[in-house]
Amino acid sequence: MDLGYLLHLLIPSWNSVAILALFFTYLAVAGSILPGKVVPGVILQDGSRLHYRCNGLISLLLLVGLVGAAAKLDIVSLTVIADRGLELLSTTFLFSFLVTLVLYAVGCKSSNRGSSLKPHVSGNLLDDWWFGIQLNPQFMGIDLKFFFVRAGMMGWLFINLSVFARSIQDGTLSQSMILFQLFCALYILDYFIHEEYMTSTWDIIAERLGFMLVFGDLVWIPFTFSIQGWWLLSNKVELGTAAAIANCCTFVIGYLVFRGANKQKHVFKKDPKVPIWGNPPRVIGGKLLVSGYWGIARHCNYLGDLLLALSFSLPCGMSSPIPYFYPIYLLILLIWRERRDEARCAEKYREIWAEYRTLVPWRILPYIY
Ligand code: NDP
């Protein structure tokens, strides 16, 4: 593909603007009216806490149903995202850029002193735009941070499904494509089933909403995590039975560690007495869990996520590094994030954290790192 043609494909069109606008409008309406468990967020510095309506799963299933029905009636084409991938990418990028300029301007003007809306202005325009000014900015009562994560995760699934439809139409559907689609779909569905766990993650509780997060949620997650699918559209892979079984095992082990670790911490934060693996939890300083996965490594949840990421790429075989973009990126991100979280926890928990480090010396992978 020559560069001129590639650039041409990147030019946003009104169609891609309409697709994005429809998607966001649907999410805003569905998120506001569909039923869902209302979950209190963590207590913020000023003692306040936000509440999140976790209706992502029902919003997702309804949207899948609506798109399916619209395709049956020939109103939309299931391959529209796969066919217009690059222009959707550039449109979403432009949207992220513009929306973060607005967030910057609104944040700077805010006179709110509450933890969620208090402006954090360093004076360095680039820094403030990149990292954001406010912790939890809202628009028409919608928590934008929660909204964008949801949009990114759903966008990832819809890109995959469209690529899947394209491979069926092209007659290139392979075992590799099915495995990739299955693993990603299960991961995304699981994310929405456990959407409430998101309310206590680092992004939600500690990062301000700037270009870094908005771009990460809306562009990076959906468009780069789906690279394997795009790659499989034009590359044939013959997976042997043993490789397919090993691939499934990587997914299952990754899932058990990832979900198990995140669930143990989430449940522990709500009730520190709930048994872990059948025994009363071991706790230090009344605050840090040392049982279960949290007694094996200080961030076992990252290990699970890395195994899952690997399982999404293994269906593509070993002939090219391109489908391994996601696990490689995640490895770098999680090592960096673990260091930042370590520094945050060392400052917050002080001697309790030092004791935790002694009891659980491994950061992510026991005996290796
Ligand atoms: P964690 O869910 O690991 O949260 C870290 C926080 O948990 C710490 O700051 C501390 O917060 C608390 N904590 C740490 N150790 C303990 C302990 N032993 N007992 C009790 N509390 C503890 O971090 P993230 O939010 O970074 O990750 C959440 C999930 O999201 C992970 O599974 C990660 O893999 C995934 N993720 C995926 C990404 C992707 O691109 N696929 C990107 C980023 C994350 P406190 O002050 O509340 O105690």
Side-chain angles (χ1 to χ4, degrees):
M1 201 185 286
D2 76 68
L3 190 65
Y5 183 60
L6 196 73
L7 288 175
H8 174 74
L9 291 180
L10 271 167
I11 297 172
S13 69
W14 285 114
N15 276 327
S16 47
V17 173
I19 292 172
L20 207 62
L22 271 174
F23 180 50
F24 287 149
T25 308
Y26 168 81
L27 283 185
V29 174
S32 308
I33 62 173
L34 291 178
K37 186 172 169 190
V38 177
V39 176
V42 294
I43 299 174
L44 301 172
Q45 257 179 4
D46 63 358
S48 67
R49 66 199 310 185
L50 299 171
H51 287 78
Y52 300 92
R53 190 195 291 240
C54 295
N55 55 7
L57 184 63
I58 185 167
S59 304
L60 173 66
L61 296 179
L62 182 62
L63 186 55
V64 170
L66 288 172
V67 172
K72 201 114 195 104
L73 297 170
D74 271 339
I75 299 171
V76 294
S77 154
L78 288 180
T79 59
V80 66
I81 305 177
D83 298 339
R84 294 179 175 272
L86 286 176
E87 61 179 86
L88 276 166
L89 166 72
S90 55
T91 309
T92 315
F93 178 85
L94 272 178
F95 174 82
S96 307
F97 180 74
L98 294 175
V99 89
T100 47
L101 287 184
V102 176
L103 284 174
Y104 172 82
V106 172
C108 285
K109 273 198 193 152
S110 169
S111 53
N112 198 306
R113 294 286 112 199
S115 293
S116 343
L117 297 174
K118 190 164 117 189
H120 297 260
V121 186
S122 72
N124 180 329
L125 190 143
L126 208 60
D127 253 31
D128 291 339
W129 165 74
W130 180 265
F131 289 109
I133 300 279
Q134 294 170 305
L135 187 62
N136 301 106
Q138 305 211 337
F139 177 66
M140 292 170 72
I142 297 168
D143 181 284
L144 288 177
K145 205 196 280 182
F146 201 58
F147 179 85
F148 288 144
V149 187
R150 183 180 279 186
M153 293 300 287
M154 280 193 201
W156 177 17
L157 182 68
F158 278 97
I159 291 177
N160 282 355
L161 292 178
S162 188
V163 165
F164 187 58
R166 166 63 41 233
S167 78
I168 293 173
Q169 279 194 13
D170 291 352
T172 59
L173 185 61
S174 61
Q175 185 194 34
S176 294
M177 179 65 92
I178 294 172
L179 284 180
F180 164 72
Q181 292 285 343
L182 183 71
F183 296 153
C184 290
L186 288 173
Y187 180 80
I188 297 166
L189 279 176
D190 175 78
Y191 170 88
F192 283 110
I193 290 170
H194 298 98
E195 196 178 23
E196 69 173 277
Y197 294 179
M198 189 64 204
T199 60
S200 58
T201 57
W202 166 281
D203 281 354
I204 295 287
I205 62 181
E207 293 284 22
R208 296 193 295 278
L209 190 64
F211 185 76
M212 184 178 79
L213 262 198
V214 176
F215 171 81
D217 290 341
L218 296 183
V219 181
W220 193 260
I221 291 180
F223 289 96
T224 67
F225 293 11
S226 54
I227 284 176
Q228 301 92 317
W230 300 100
W231 188 86
L232 283 170
L233 274 183
S234 45
N235 291 276
K236 204 168 158 46
V237 179
E238 291 294 339
L239 267 194
T241 311
I245 292 173
N247 197 171
C248 291
C249 290
T250 310
F251 175 79
V252 172
I253 295 169
Y255 176 78
L256 292 174
V257 177
F258 167 76
R259 184 47 66 218
N262 284 323
K263 188 170 180 181
Q264 283 176 352
K265 175 161 73 76
H266 187 78
V267 170
F268 168 77
K269 294 274 179 194
K270 285 192 155 176
D271 179 0
K273 294 202 171 66
V274 172
I276 292 200
W277 292 342
N279 293 311
R282 186 172 174 204
V283 181
I284 43 177
K287 288 180 179 150
L288 291 174
L289 179 62
V290 197
S291 292
Y293 290 109
W294 298 87
I296 295 173
R298 299 200 295 278
H299 267 101
C300 240
N301 51 348
Y302 289 0
L303 174 63
D305 219 356
L306 287 167
L307 287 173
L308 283 170
L310 187 64
S311 77
F312 302 160
S313 299
L314 288 174
C316 301
M318 297 290 174
S319 65
S320 164
I322 294 170
Y324 288 83
F325 178 85
Y326 175 43
I328 293 168
Y329 144 77
L330 195 66
L331 179 68
I332 297 167
L333 174 94
L334 292 182
I335 287 178
W336 177 57
R337 190 181 266 248
E338 192 278 334
R339 297 269 164 168
R340 289 170 77 201
D341 193 46
E342 176 84 16
R344 178 180 173 270
C345 290
E347 195 180 315
K348 178 174 174 183
Y349 293 112
R350 297 189 180 267
E351 60 286 348
I352 314 177
W353 191 260
E355 190 184 342
Y356 183 41
R357 283 184 57 140
T358 315
L359 290 171
V360 186
W362 304 106
R363 291 173 185 270
I364 295 177
L365 182 60
Y367 304 106
I368 308 271
Y369 180 72

